[in-house]
Amino acid sequence: EHASCRVTPGSVLDRRLDLDGIRRRCTSGRQLFSDEDHHPFLEFGPRWSSLRAIDFGAREALTRLELDERYREDLQHYRMHPALVDMAAAGAQVIIEGYSPKEEFYVPVGCRRIVFNGVFPARATSHVVVKPQQDRDVVTFDVSVCDDDGSVF
């Protein structure tokens, strides 16, 4: 067994992120991405070239995502596009204390809980907060993904 889950209906999300407030806190650095792969350990496919920018602060980051125009048709088949979901958190490894991108690589091994409301758009912003670490080998994030207005979906 590679994965398992339990799906239950939930209440409609009515949550909005204060994107301006988060941007004001995420001023420690900015990383911009081109269409080229940005990580030395893994070659991503072209759909995964969706990271546009990451603004980071102390233990949090604001990640800008956009699915390339060539793959927008995918959104008719995926309510949660795998590349966008993956990159919503993966790009923020820079906020892990002591992280060295040329020496380390973290891969997702699970999601404790996913709450989803709607359809993942072609352009999105994720707010990633690293949780206090108990173990250097395992890092936990809280990730909220929203549209341009801050509405969490």
Side-chain angles (χ1 to χ4, degrees), residues 63-66 84 120-126 145-148 153:
T63 303
R64 188 74 185 134
L65 306 161
E66 186 170 358
L84 294 172
F120 213 118
R123 287 176 14 148
T125 299
S126 66
V145 186
C146 66
D147 63 18
D148 290 340
F153 51 86

Side-chain angles (χ1 to χ4, degrees), residues 59 129-135 138-140:
R59 307 185 64 79
V129 178
V130 67
K131 305 285 277 183
Q133 292 175 235
Q134 304 298 320
D135 180 349
V138 178
V139 179
T140 304

Side-chain angles (χ1 to χ4, degrees), residues 2-152:
H2 297 285
S4 64
C5 71
R6 180 174 56 115
V7 178
T8 61
S11 58
V12 174
L13 291 174
D14 185 22
R15 187 169 151 231
R16 185 175 297 272
L17 296 181
D18 176 8
L19 293 176
D20 290 334
I22 296 168
R23 278 188 196 94
R24 283 192 296 273
R25 293 192 308 269
C26 291
T27 57
S28 298
R30 177 167 240 228
Q31 186 173 3
L32 299 175
F33 299 90
S34 67
D35 289 336
E36 298 300 314
D37 184 22
H38 66 277
H39 205 285
F41 296 116
L42 189 63
E43 186 174 322
F44 291 98
R47 283 175 170 82
W48 268 252
S49 292
S50 57
L51 281 175
R52 295 296 173 253
I54 300 175
D55 294 300
F56 51 94
R59 307 185 64 79
E60 69 179 325
L62 202 59
T63 303
R64 188 74 185 134
L65 306 161
E66 186 170 358
L67 189 62
D68 188 282
E69 190 70 42
R70 296 174 292 174
Y71 307 113
R72 301 263 170 113
E73 187 177 304
D74 291 358
L75 297 171
Q76 296 175 15
H77 307 286
Y78 297 107
R79 290 176 56 101
M80 294 175 64
H81 195 285
L84 294 172
V85 171
D86 187 19
M87 292 292 108
Q93 293 184 25
V94 68
I95 64 174
I96 299 169
E97 187 176 335
Y99 174 67
S100 174
K102 295 190 186 317
E103 298 173 12
E104 300 174 285
F105 184 63
Y106 288 88
V107 295
V109 294
C111 294
R112 183 168 291 130
R113 181 174 174 226
I114 297 175
V115 178
F116 184 65
N117 187 44
V119 177
F120 213 118
R123 287 176 14 148
T125 299
S126 66
H127 179 226
V128 182
V129 178
V130 67
K131 305 285 277 183
Q133 292 175 235
Q134 304 298 320
D135 180 349
R136 179 80 177 116
D137 294 332
V138 178
V139 179
T140 304
F141 296 113
D142 280 337
V143 181
S144 298
V145 186
C146 66
D147 63 18
D148 290 340
D149 296 323
S151 295
V152 175

